[in-house]
Amino acid sequence: MKVKESDLDLNGKRVLITGAASGIGAAMAKTFFAHNATIILADIDPIGLERVSKETSGSQTVVFNQNDLTSIEEMCVNMEAPDILLNNGGILWAGPFEEMSSDEITKIINVNLLGPVHIVQALGKKMLTRGSGIIVNTSSQLAFHGSAERAVYASTKAAIAQFTKSIAAEWAPKGIRVVAIAPGRTLTNINASLLNSPKKQQTAIEAIPAGRIAEAHEMARLALLLSSDVLSYVVGETVVSDGGYVLL
């Protein structure tokens, strides 16, 4: 059966995107806006939010801190349940594990794991009341492939993949479909320090069978498909898009 243009038309759908000020989140905003969704942009970076808002015809913005539970609660308490939650906000810390401070460990766990979990709980309750909703979490290829100098980051992303499976099993019978994407190396600000020289880029590409680094819009398109009825039977899966990195 042919996939029709209307199958990807999100007219009338409200989409909340966290981490929307740059990178994959900004690409999600532009992609979902192009498919007629009503976009709500959330991030800690007001300047980046304003830029993306202008690029999506003045989409609503919310400044919040994913490292602060009170800030998360303030964002969610008065917000109508979105039809689609793109639970994408996150940070990266790369370096020797023995050099990480306790504050850095706590921050990356808060932002990458506890923050997304609290957002899902707060907005998921409202979706449950309505009886419908789609949640797309952002994990990482490193949830499935260990990586030196990213131990805590990889651990949080593995936890997101398992959280996705578990909450999907719990909520699918109640009308809430939960899935996740696991991006590979992507040309975004979060990876800038890892790809800021031709030598670093070549080293990264050598570990990718596809022979290139991804563009942010490729991850946004994956999220779009997972959010649509085209893939409505996909539940609880974390879909890896990494050019084959985890195969090696």
Side-chain angles (χ1 to χ4, degrees):
M1 182 178 292
K2 181 179 179 180
V3 175
K4 297 174 291 187
E5 184 175 345
S6 60
D7 292 329
L8 297 174
D9 186 356
L10 299 178
N11 185 41
K13 301 292 186 182
R14 298 177 68 258
V15 181
L16 172 63
I17 308 167
T18 64
S22 63
I24 291 172
M28 287 174 168
K30 296 169 190 175
T31 298
F32 279 69
F33 176 77
H35 286 265
N36 302 316
T38 298
I39 305 298
I40 305 166
L41 310 170
D43 203 292
I44 196 172
D45 174 12
I47 295 174
L49 282 178
E50 182 62 24
R51 182 183 64 253
V52 178
S53 176
K54 288 179 180 178
E55 294 171 343
T56 54
S57 294
S59 295
Q60 178 184 347
T61 62
V62 180
V63 178
F64 86 112
N65 182 356
Q66 200 160 292
N67 189 32
D68 182 346
L69 178 56
T70 299
S71 181
I72 292 171
E73 290 173 341
E74 289 175 350
M75 176 182 72
C76 295
V77 66
N78 293 318
M79 182 178 289
E80 179 184 347
D83 297 290
I84 300 168
L85 166 61
L86 301 180
N87 201 18
N88 172 72
I91 57 174
L92 172 66
W93 193 98
F97 176 63
E98 67 272 18
E99 295 180 9
M100 284 189 80
S101 69
S102 59
D103 286 345
E104 287 167 334
I105 292 172
T106 298
K107 181 178 180 180
I108 200 167
I109 292 172
N110 282 344
V111 174
N112 287 4
L113 176 58
L114 297 182
V117 167
H118 285 302
I119 291 168
V120 167
Q121 184 183 51
L123 295 178
K125 289 178 181 178
K126 298 181 180 184
M127 289 180 174
L128 288 168
T129 298
R130 186 181 59 206
S132 66
I134 297 170
I135 298 170
V136 182
N137 295 317
T138 297
S139 179
S140 167
Q141 65 178 10
L142 296 187
F144 307 97
H145 191 294
S147 179
E149 300 194 344
R150 296 165 185 79
V152 180
Y153 174 83
S155 298
T156 60
K157 293 303 186 176
I160 288 294
Q162 186 57 44
F163 173 69
T164 298
K165 287 179 180 290
S166 299
I167 200 64
E170 183 175 341
W171 284 358
K174 301 175 182 179
I176 314 302
R177 187 164 64 87
V178 186
V179 293
I181 63 171
R185 287 284 178 87
T186 306
L187 293 170
T188 62
N189 290 341
I190 198 172
N191 287 315
S193 65
L194 307 176
L195 302 170
N196 59 3
S197 73
K199 182 178 180 180
K200 288 181 179 180
Q201 290 187 22
Q202 184 57 40
T203 299
I205 289 172
E206 287 172 356
I208 303 171
R212 66 179 179 86
I213 297 168
E215 300 282 351
H217 73 264
E218 294 177 281
M219 305 305 159
R221 288 173 177 174
L222 176 58
L224 174 69
L225 286 171
L226 286 168
S227 300
S228 74
D229 289 340
V230 172
L231 297 181
S232 61
Y233 203 55
V234 178
V235 176
E237 297 295 333
T238 296
V239 181
V240 181
S241 179
D242 68 348
Y245 177 90
V246 300
L247 303 176
L248 301 181

